[in-house]
Amino acid sequence: MLTGDWIYRSFRNDKKLVAGDPQVALALIFGEGVMQINQGASGYLSGTFDMGGGYVLDLVGSSLAHAGNGPPGFEFSGKGRDGTPTEGWQYDYRGTENHAWPDGVDQVPTLVGTVIRSKPHGGAPAGYSASFICVLRN
C-alpha cells in the first residue's frame, strides 16, 4: 500500500484558530514536497523526500503491523545527502494509513502522522515536531 509517490505536507501544531485568515493558515505549513516510497515484501521501506531546489532526504524504514483494529503503520528516517543543502539533516517519521470509507466517493489514499527534527541544523534545534498528511499522487 505504501509504494508510490506521495504529496507530503507537514503542519506546525499551533493551538490558535486560523479564523479565516489565509496568511495565518499558510504560515502553518512546516514542509512540503514529494515522498517517493518503495515497500519491499518484508515491509522494508526506502525512498526519497524531494522538497525541491536540491533539498532531498533519503528515506529508510519499515512498515508496522496492525494494532488491534487499527490501520497499518510505518516509521522511517530521512537523512540528508552529503554535499547538498540537507547535509547533516535527520528527520524521523511515524504514521498510519487513513481509513478508507466503504461508501466514500472519490477517496484518495492518504497517510497521517508526526515528524520530528532529530538533529539540529541551520540554527534550528533538534526535537521540533509537526503533524503531516500525505496524499497519493499516482
Side-chain angles (χ1 to χ4, degrees):
M1 166 62 192
L2 296 175
T3 295
D5 291 343
W6 298 85
I7 302 297
Y8 170 97
R9 289 183 188 94
S10 57
F11 300 89
R12 291 176 174 81
N13 295 323
D14 191 326
K15 297 177 185 179
K16 299 175 192 164
L17 291 172
V18 170
D21 186 332
Q23 292 306 312
V24 172
L26 188 59
L28 293 176
I29 295 178
F30 177 63
E32 184 176 56
V34 177
M35 282 190 167
Q36 185 274 318
I37 301 173
N38 298 305
Q39 183 173 359
S42 65
Y44 175 79
L45 302 175
S46 64
T48 59
F49 177 27
D50 188 343
M51 297 165 270
Y55 288 81
V56 177
L57 300 177
D58 292 311
L59 306 174
V60 175
S62 60
S63 58
L64 304 171
H66 296 275
N69 288 334
F74 59 90
E75 61 185 3
F76 49 82
S77 286
K79 294 185 179 176
R81 294 180 177 175
D82 291 344
T84 74
T86 62
E87 184 171 1
W89 291 20
Q90 181 177 334
Y91 285 81
D92 293 316
Y93 305 82
R94 188 171 180 122
T96 61
E97 298 174 25
N98 260 349
H99 177 72
W101 292 98
D103 297 327
V105 176
D106 298 328
Q107 290 183 80
V108 176
T110 55
L111 309 172
V112 295
T114 62
V115 56
I116 188 166
R117 183 185 299 121
S118 300
K119 292 184 178 179
H121 65 81
Y128 185 80
S129 65
S131 299
F132 69 81
I133 299 170
C134 293
V135 178
L136 187 62
R137 184 177 186 185
N138 61 346

